[in-house]
Amino acid sequence: MLTDRSTTLRFDDHTSDTIKLNNGIGQGDPLSMALYQFYNADLLDIPKSKDESAIAYVDDAILTVTAKTFQEAHDKLVSMMTRPGGAIEWTRTHNSQFEYSKLALVDFAHPAKKVSRPPLTLPSITVTPSKSAKYLGVILDQGLNWKEQVAHATGKGSKWAAQIRRIARPTWGLTPGAARRIYQGVAIPRILYGIDIWCTPTHKNTRGKVTQGPTATIAKLATAQRAGALAITGGFRTSPTDSLDAHAALLPMHLRIGKAHHDAATRMATLPSKHPLYNHLKRAAKCQPRRHKSPLHHLAVSMSVPPDQIEKIPIVHINPANGQEPKINITIPDNKEESIQVEAHAEESVRVYTDGSSHNGKVGAAAVLRRSGRPDRILRVYLGKEEHHTVYEAELAGILLGLHLIKTERKCRRVKCVIGADNQAAIQAMHTDFTSPGQHIAAESLITAKQIINAKKSRDFGLTLRWIAGHSGIPGNERADEEAKRAAEGKSSDKSDLPRYLRNPLQKSISAIKQKHNSTTNDRWKEEWQASDRYKRLRASDTATPSSKKYLKLISDNNLSRKTAS
């Protein structure tokens, strides 16, 4: 892997000749991240007992131990550093010396306990315990109360709000809409970095009052967002926070934190079952301790669907060692008129029309096979509720149904076949790497297509996937649309007639789950805003409806000066 490698250097408009690499790899090589996992893997093998552990991310490593006293804990750390096969020996065998001045020692204990924290003595240095240390951008303090991390996050928020205010002055500068995009895309990710670790969302008790959750922390973060809302809208310093959020279309901080937790939880739920984190999340979702909940337990609570019922998205779906998968011939006309013309002059003997539909909060898919001189063959499948599945999934399921109809069609070995779908995104998914939500159905479709091509083994056989304009009077497409609506009503074909992949309920779509959560969050925001006194005093309340951005659009008119819009 590391032989016969070379690189080039580029400065401005000059590119050097090829330079051979005789040792290691060039800086910036994409392989460096993967190879480093092998390079520092021995560090993770240092722990030998259940009270010892190690964590490493590239060149940032942590050794942790648990003990009854800090002196005992320090003795174990010294052992992990100096024992045969320990960290110090690793530096010699791997030609990578530790920078001892960067070593940080943090003794974690309950804030209420007053304990002595002695120094830790290594052969080359004596390390004094620190009150806090930063690891991967998150500040860990001795009591794990996250005060320093909260101060750091709010400081970043205030800094970015000040920067936005500088480029959005009352007399000149960015429009409020542009200022909001900068704040949403730059400031918010930095404020909420690692929020699922150091802050939990508030929740209500049975009486409907907010009694649990870090309300003080959320209040500080809300103050940071308030500064951003003032910079966006140009409002007065005394403007109420909830009114600023509504006019700037910024989700209130307590709801934003809940959304961040939900997004993190659903993202972890899509991990493959062999991923190290998956089983931990699954156990956390099944068992909730009454005390000492970990961040993983709080994440599991935010999910409305158990992790084992959510679709799994692989990091890599196609194994490069198995060669390139066969590609389906795809045709996408440039416009609606051309699509109608192509369909009118199509020469394929077997035509299949597919469609997916959402009807009355339910999702279904259908496929109709048409062949001259034979009755139509139809397959329908009901996917489930709209809160668990998307129309995109239904469109992909329709294509899979269409392929299954061709696969089971008699006497079509020497004929041309075409599948017509009115969703370009679903068609183009056949030429992707299948690592996006819902594309597991596309991967199954490609497997079915491969089986069809291998079974026919005829030069006269052809298989094309074509985009056809929807609702354009094409009889086959109109029939597929009708059947898809019937499928959405729960009228599926017999299981024995369906592809094996669609005979059992599909796992829930992460896209549908997020859409449902976002809708619920916006409804909650709307209820809270409309219940406030500020909303009742507005003369034009519809322009400040949360998440509608109506007011923001009005004041972002380029014909208005920044002073007038503020």
Side-chain angles (χ1 to χ4, degrees):
M1 183 182 293
L2 296 181
T3 59
D4 299 327
R5 299 184 66 81
S6 60
T7 187
T8 58
L9 300 178
R10 178 177 294 176
F11 300 96
D12 297 329
D13 58 348
H14 173 73
T15 302
S16 69
D17 296 333
T18 301
I19 303 172
K20 291 186 177 180
L21 298 178
N22 299 321
N23 183 20
I25 59 178
Q27 186 168 352
D29 194 305
L31 274 176
S32 59
M33 290 293 291
L35 294 177
Y36 208 93
Q37 305 305 313
F38 296 95
Y39 180 75
N40 67 358
D42 292 338
L43 283 173
L44 304 180
D45 295 331
I46 294 176
K48 300 300 181 184
S49 60
K50 63 180 182 180
D51 54 0
E52 298 178 351
S53 63
I55 304 172
Y57 181 81
V58 192
D59 59 347
D60 289 328
I62 290 181
L63 300 179
T64 62
V65 298
T66 56
K68 294 183 178 179
T69 64
F70 285 129
Q71 185 60 56
E72 181 182 348
H74 291 181
D75 293 340
K76 292 181 180 180
L77 285 174
V78 171
S79 174
M80 295 176 71
M81 293 288 290
T82 59
R83 71 175 61 150
I88 294 178
E89 182 176 312
W90 180 89
T91 63
R92 293 195 297 266
T93 58
H94 289 70
N95 192 27
S96 179
Q97 297 298 319
F98 287 144
E99 183 62 46
Y100 287 101
S101 61
K102 294 183 179 180
L103 288 181
L105 173 66
V106 182
D107 294 331
F108 298 103
H110 194 280
K113 290 185 177 181
K114 295 183 179 181
V115 292
S116 60
R117 292 178 166 85
L120 183 147
T121 304
L122 294 173
S124 302
I125 190 174
T126 297
V127 185
T128 303
S130 304
K131 291 184 178 181
S132 63
K134 181 184 288 189
Y135 184 68
L136 301 181
V138 178
I139 301 176
L140 309 172
D141 57 84
Q142 290 178 342
L144 288 180
N145 52 27
W146 310 108
K147 288 184 178 180
E148 294 188 33
Q149 173 61 29
V150 173
H152 180 64
T154 54
K156 288 191 293 185
S158 300
K159 173 185 174 182
W160 281 103
Q163 296 296 332
I164 294 174
R165 191 181 298 112
R166 290 180 61 187
I167 59 175
R169 300 265 183 181
T171 55
W172 61 271
L174 294 178
T175 63
R180 179 184 179 275
R181 285 194 293 272
I182 294 177
Y183 183 78
Q184 291 274 75
V186 179
I188 288 297
R190 284 162 173 75
I191 296 172
L192 301 185
Y193 175 77
I195 192 72
D196 48 315
I197 299 295
W198 52 270
C199 183
T200 58
T202 57
H203 56 277
K204 298 181 180 180
N205 62 2
T206 55
R207 297 180 180 179
K209 296 181 179 180
V210 178
T211 56
Q212 296 184 353
T215 53
T217 296
I218 295 176
K220 293 179 181 179
L221 295 175
T223 301
Q225 176 162 295
R226 172 186 169 82
L230 285 170
I232 293 169
T233 61
F236 292 114
R237 294 178 181 272
T238 55
S239 301
T241 301
D242 57 353
S243 181
L244 286 170
D245 287 339
H247 285 81
L250 294 177
L251 192 66
M253 187 54 67
H254 65 287
L255 298 179
R256 189 180 293 277
I257 292 174
K259 181 180 182 298
H261 272 249
H262 185 269
D263 290 346
T266 51
R267 184 174 62 251
M268 292 178 63
T270 61
L271 294 173
S273 57
K274 294 183 179 179
H275 193 281
L277 285 176
Y278 177 75
N279 287 332
H280 292 286
L281 179 66
K282 189 176 178 180
R283 284 196 296 268
K286 289 183 177 180
C287 180
Q288 283 287 324
R290 298 184 63 181
R291 300 178 61 191
H292 307 301
K293 293 183 179 181
S294 69
L296 207 56
H297 288 106
H298 289 292
L299 285 180
V301 169
S302 66
M303 291 190 299
S304 58
V305 179
D308 54 352
Q309 295 182 16
I310 298 178
E311 65 174 320
K312 303 298 176 280
I313 301 177
I315 299 174
V316 177
H317 196 283
I318 299 176
N319 187 351
N322 296 336
Q324 187 67 28
E325 294 288 341
K327 298 292 187 181
I328 301 177
N329 182 32
I330 290 179
T331 303
I332 300 180
D334 293 334
N335 50 54
K336 179 178 178 179
E337 291 72 21
E338 183 179 341
S339 173
I340 296 174
Q341 290 295 323
V342 170
E343 179 64 21
H345 297 88
E347 298 179 353
E348 291 86 1
S349 302
V350 177
R351 302 185 188 183
V352 180
Y353 301 90
T354 69
D355 199 11
S357 177
S358 176
H359 186 61
N360 293 331
K362 298 178 181 180
V363 181
V368 179
L369 185 146
R370 290 193 158 188
R371 193 171 185 180
S372 179
R374 299 186 184 183
D376 293 350
R377 294 179 58 207
I378 301 171
L379 284 179
R380 297 183 299 271
V381 62
Y382 170 67
L383 297 186
K385 296 181 179 180
E386 199 174 36
E387 61 190 48
H388 294 150
H389 298 283
T390 62
V391 175
Y392 176 69
E393 277 186 298
E395 295 285 356
L396 290 172
I399 294 175
L400 180 56
L401 291 175
L403 288 167
H404 187 70
L405 285 173
I406 294 175
K407 182 180 179 181
T408 56
E409 178 70 6
R410 296 180 179 180
K411 297 182 180 180
C412 70
R413 183 178 180 182
R414 299 180 182 276
V415 299
K416 303 295 183 181
C417 302
V418 63
I419 298 177
D422 59 6
N423 187 291
Q424 293 190 20
I427 294 174
Q428 292 169 345
M430 300 299 166
H431 282 185
T432 62
D433 54 5
F434 309 118
T435 55
S436 296
Q439 291 186 351
H440 57 96
I441 306 175
E444 184 65 22
S445 298
L446 192 63
I447 294 173
T448 304
K450 182 179 179 181
Q451 293 172 350
I452 294 173
I453 295 172
N454 292 338
K456 303 304 179 183
K457 293 182 179 179
S458 173
R459 293 182 178 179
D460 297 328
F461 176 79
L463 180 60
T464 302
L465 183 58
R466 181 186 299 150
W467 174 72
I468 57 175
H471 307 290
S472 301
I474 299 174
N477 178 256
E478 297 297 332
R479 179 69 185 278
D481 182 64
E482 294 175 4
E483 296 298 334
K485 290 180 179 178
R486 293 185 64 193
E489 294 172 357
K491 300 176 181 179
S492 292
S493 301
D494 292 337
K495 284 188 176 182
S496 58
D497 296 331
L498 296 174
R500 290 185 179 274
Y501 197 77
L502 297 178
R503 292 178 184 178
N504 296 319
L506 294 176
Q507 290 186 313
K508 309 296 190 299
S509 167
I510 182 177
S511 298
I513 293 173
K514 284 187 174 181
Q515 289 173 11
K516 176 62 177 179
H517 185 269
N518 291 342
S519 176
T520 303
T521 300
N522 285 334
D523 290 343
R524 182 180 168 187
W525 182 15
K526 185 176 180 179
E527 291 176 1
E528 292 179 358
W529 169 234
Q530 292 181 350
S532 68
D533 293 335
R534 268 74 62 185
Y535 175 82
K536 299 173 184 178
R537 296 172 185 171
L538 288 176
R539 294 183 179 180
S541 56
D542 63 320
T543 61
T545 302
S547 75
S548 70
K549 303 180 185 178
K550 289 183 179 180
Y551 176 77
L552 207 63
K553 291 179 181 178
L554 289 174
I555 63 175
S556 296
D557 190 339
N558 290 327
N559 295 323
L560 293 178
S561 66
R562 183 69 168 125
K563 182 177 181 180
T564 304
S566 299

